[in-house]
Amino acid sequence: MARLFLSVDMVGSTEFKARFTGQGAEAWLGIFKAFFTSFPLMVAGQIGHAFLEDDATPAISVWKVMGDEVVFVCEPGGAEELTTILTSVLKTMALYEERHFQQLPLRLKGTAWLAEFDDQNIEIEIPELSSGSGEHVDFIGPDIDLGFRIAKFARPGVMVVSLDVLEAVLGAENAATAAFYLMGREALKGVMFGRSYPIVWMLEAGGAMRFLPWEVEQDPVLAKATASEPAGAGELAATIEDMRLYLKKVHGRERPPVRLG
């Protein structure tokens, strides 16, 4: 069984809360309560709309909330379903910012990754957190860790994705609804045996980078991104195969595509 994990995090939240030092949490609490209440509902609504003409709508739920970040989990039935879920979350991020952050120095950024639950990743119940309404399940494993490692390379308005997610989308019939940008490589602790990992951003196809002028001025990565074109399918596929070849030739590890559905 493969699960898709989606993280949406607030950018600028720490500095924003610090502005109200000495005024108590009530000065900013409402904004964050609204996010954790409204954003998951908007995601579910956007996904419901995207699958309106289908026989069933994928179920997506909140796995956990950490600081100013909400992490969703779902089980996509195939590559096309996964792609539509991702683009729906990107649309929700843009819509939420437009509705709620127009006059606030806050942005949203996303992360998406896949994990198969076999001998590498496990699902475990936490009895102390379970209640009469049901068991509390946590997910542990190297692929879970990978998602939180790449999350630090997301930027406002975009979604950083793992190579497994990228490969699934590239094989989907609706792959043309997504655009990907190769944003260099970064060494991630415990990932790829120390070899740098490709950082891949996802946007909706035809969508523009929605960075604000001062964000570009302060971050050279954003300046580079605004001048970049989406990567071609061939270049993206070569990036995936490079990773697979490295794991096989250097470490004797097979990394087959994640099985969906």
Side-chain angles (χ1 to χ4, degrees):
M1 178 188 299
R3 288 187 172 90
L4 170 67
F5 294 87
L6 282 158
S7 162
V8 178
D9 195 6
M10 284 194 195
V11 181
S13 58
T14 302
E15 182 180 351
F16 177 72
K17 285 180 284 189
R19 295 182 179 186
F20 301 98
T21 300
Q23 300 181 41
E26 290 301 321
W28 51 261
L29 186 59
I31 294 166
F32 293 84
K33 287 178 67 175
F35 172 70
F36 291 121
T37 302
S38 301
F39 189 80
L41 294 175
M42 289 177 65
V43 167
Q46 194 69 239
I47 290 175
H49 182 268
F51 289 91
L52 195 60
E53 298 182 1
D54 291 60
D55 294 333
T57 300
I60 185 167
S61 59
V62 175
W63 167 32
K64 62 173 62 181
V65 170
M66 304 181 298
D68 306 321
E69 173 185 13
V70 58
V71 186
F72 300 90
V73 61
C74 63
E75 299 173 21
E80 291 74 27
E81 193 170 290
L82 178 144
T83 303
T84 301
I85 291 171
L86 295 178
T87 55
S88 295
V89 172
L90 280 166
K91 288 176 181 175
T92 309
M93 289 164 54
L95 185 60
Y96 194 90
E97 284 195 20
E98 182 182 329
R99 289 184 179 178
H100 298 277
F101 292 167
Q102 279 283 356
Q103 299 184 43
L104 295 172
L106 298 171
R107 301 292 310 276
L108 296 177
K109 62 181 181 179
T111 307
W113 69 103
L114 286 164
E116 285 187 294
F117 287 82
D118 42 26
D119 57 342
Q120 290 234 36
N121 307 291
I122 62 170
E123 174 183 324
I124 185 171
E125 181 189 358
I126 310 297
E128 291 80 4
L129 297 178
S130 298
S131 64
S133 59
E135 63 181 26
H136 180 88
V137 175
D138 208 349
F139 305 104
I140 301 172
D143 292 328
I144 306 300
D145 296 339
L146 168 65
F148 293 112
R149 297 279 191 271
I150 63 174
K152 66 186 288 186
F153 301 105
R155 291 296 191 276
V158 302
M159 180 181 290
V160 62
V161 302
S162 69
L163 293 183
D164 288 325
V165 169
L166 171 64
E167 183 170 39
V169 175
L170 289 178
E173 292 182 2
N174 55 349
T177 62
F180 295 99
Y181 295 78
L182 292 174
M183 300 306 299
R185 292 173 172 265
E186 296 287 347
L188 306 178
K189 182 180 179 181
V191 176
M192 291 274 287
F193 300 93
R195 189 178 184 221
S196 57
Y197 188 89
I199 303 303
V200 184
W201 287 358
M202 175 178 170
L203 288 174
E204 281 191 89
M209 302 280 185
R210 298 182 295 107
F211 303 133
L212 299 171
W214 50 92
E215 292 173 339
V216 176
E217 292 168 5
Q218 296 168 3
D219 190 339
V221 174
L222 303 193
K224 173 186 174 183
T226 55
S228 300
E229 294 291 333
E235 184 180 8
L236 294 168
T239 300
I240 296 167
E241 287 308 311
D242 172 76
M243 174 272 295
R244 191 164 279 136
L245 179 64
Y246 170 76
L247 291 177
K248 182 176 181 179
K249 294 285 284 184
V250 180
H251 297 283
R253 300 290 184 92
E254 295 285 348
R255 180 75 184 192
V258 171
R259 297 162 296 174
L260 298 174

